[in-house]
Amino acid sequence: MSGDHHGSSAISERVRHVEALLEARGLVDEGEIDRSIDDFLAGGSPVNGARITARAWVDPGFRDRLLADANAAIRELGLSMAGGLQEQRLKVVANTEDEHNVVVCTLCSCYPIALLGPSPSWYKSEAYRSRVVRDPRGVLAEFGLELPAGTRISVWDASAESRYMVVPRRPEGTDGRPEEALAALVTRNGLIGTAAV
Amino acid sequence: MSRINDVGGMVGFPAIAEEPDEPAFHADWEAHVLALNAALIRRGVYNLDEFRDAIERMEPAAYLSSSYYEKWFTAITTLLVEKGVATPEELAVPGTDPGG
């Protein structure tokens, strides 16, 4: 299934064959392929989502702007959702004492790669995509996140044009910590909503 | 009418498996599939919506038995044939079945 990896040499050979054919026809060149892979690996990281989160924790004005218009707000930090094949609309949702948010793409794998890095296989798996919308509380418990029965859970389903990111709750006892130290507390799963911080 | 990719709410899938310290790609060919797709879209051979559609209209049993980047490769080769860039015979490794 989608979360699996079939590492057979047969597909490796087929991909090499098609790539060579396309090179021979002038549709791709080897340098372009290598650059594209390097750009993808360098292009996004959960460090970016963590910076956004830490800023939202320390700056209520930024938090308001982020929740109102995330595409504009992240440009204040030099970040953008326009680095891929098309600009994506970003909506950022913030966890509170009463509400927890979690992100999925039920149809495929839409994900804010610029802010979170390459997506984990479980995010792309049919298991996660099918189940988190039906039983979010149960799925979050499998990730080790047991939410109080009174906490409302909102599940955000990404699409081809729209991406979502979660701002986790700021941990207790972190008053006065510098922004960089706060950012270091934020995990990728926290930004998806499958973990607390 | 939903297609096989529309799995939201479907029952019967297994528990979610997390892989600690997972790499971005599990094999070189996966990275090459990603880069080939980006190159073909940049060249205008097909667009991103056509690519998604080519994944989503995979035959259901093949969709469910393919890994993530295997689906991408299926979509790429489907579109290369449909756009007249190459025939199934040309896309197959010599000596293998073009349908495979």
Side-chain angles (χ1 to χ4, degrees):
Chain A
M1 291 183 287
S2 292
D4 297 341
H5 309 286
H6 301 174
S8 77
S9 60
I11 186 149
S12 176
E13 194 181 351
R14 289 183 63 206
V15 172
R16 270 201 307 275
H17 174 75
V18 168
E19 186 173 328
L21 180 81
L22 294 173
E23 279 176 22
R25 301 206 170 165
L27 282 168
V28 301
D29 69 72
E30 195 182 340
E32 176 187 16
I33 295 295
D34 290 342
R35 272 196 309 281
S36 187
I37 294 169
D38 290 345
D39 289 350
F40 176 78
L41 292 173
S45 161
V47 167
N48 295 331
R51 277 180 63 212
I52 295 168
T53 296
R55 178 64 57 87
W57 284 345
V58 301
D59 181 345
F62 176 77
R63 183 181 189 277
D64 291 345
R65 293 193 294 282
L66 182 67
L67 300 183
D69 182 351
N71 290 80
I74 67 171
R75 281 197 284 272
E76 297 177 30
L77 300 180
L79 298 169
S80 163
M81 294 296 286
L85 292 164
Q86 62 182 34
E87 168 136 34
Q88 299 150 352
R89 175 179 167 273
L90 176 68
K91 181 170 176 60
V92 173
V93 289
N95 292 341
T96 66
E97 197 176 343
D98 304 317
E99 181 175 17
H100 183 86
N101 297 280
V102 61
V103 179
V104 65
C105 174
T106 61
L107 294 176
C108 184
S109 57
C110 298
Y111 187 81
I113 292 173
L115 310 182
L116 272 67
S119 59
S121 289
W122 62 257
Y123 183 85
K124 299 179 275 203
S125 70
E126 283 87 16
Y128 179 72
R129 288 157 49 202
S130 64
R131 295 182 52 222
V132 75
V133 290
R134 179 177 286 272
D135 178 22
R137 199 173 295 274
V139 166
L140 294 178
E142 286 177 32
F143 277 91
L145 181 58
E146 302 271 1
L147 292 171
T151 303
R152 196 158 69 90
I153 303 175
S154 295
V155 182
W156 300 86
D157 194 355
S159 71
E161 286 82 25
S162 290
R163 301 291 191 269
Y164 297 94
M165 191 190 89
V166 175
V167 171
R169 291 174 67 196
R170 181 172 174 166
E172 307 276 340
T174 57
D175 288 358
R177 280 209 213 170
E179 203 172 316
E180 296 73 28
L182 291 170
L185 300 173
V186 180
T187 61
R188 180 198 63 199
N189 282 16
L191 299 167
I192 300 172
T194 54
V197 167
Chain B
M1 190 181 71
S2 61
R3 302 196 283 191
I4 188 59
N5 67 298
D6 190 2
V7 298
M10 203 181 281
V11 297
F13 288 107
I16 296 149
E18 275 195 278
E19 181 182 339
D21 302 318
E22 182 178 0
F25 300 108
H26 291 74
D28 279 350
W29 69 263
E30 294 187 346
H32 281 255
V33 165
L34 176 121
L36 277 175
N37 184 50
L40 292 167
I41 290 173
R42 276 196 298 268
R43 295 287 160 98
V45 174
Y46 51 80
N47 66 37
L48 193 52
D49 289 327
E50 289 174 311
F51 171 68
R52 289 198 185 93
D53 176 67
I55 292 177
E56 294 171 5
R57 62 188 159 92
M58 282 176 69
E59 191 267 314
Y63 180 95
L64 291 174
S65 62
S66 297
S67 74
Y68 186 69
Y69 285 108
E70 283 173 349
K71 292 187 183 76
W72 281 42
F73 188 60
T74 297
I76 290 169
T77 53
T78 297
L79 288 166
L80 288 174
V81 171
E82 290 179 359
K83 298 290 182 179
V85 173
T87 65
E89 291 72 24
E90 289 169 328
L91 292 173
V93 175
T96 64
D97 173 12

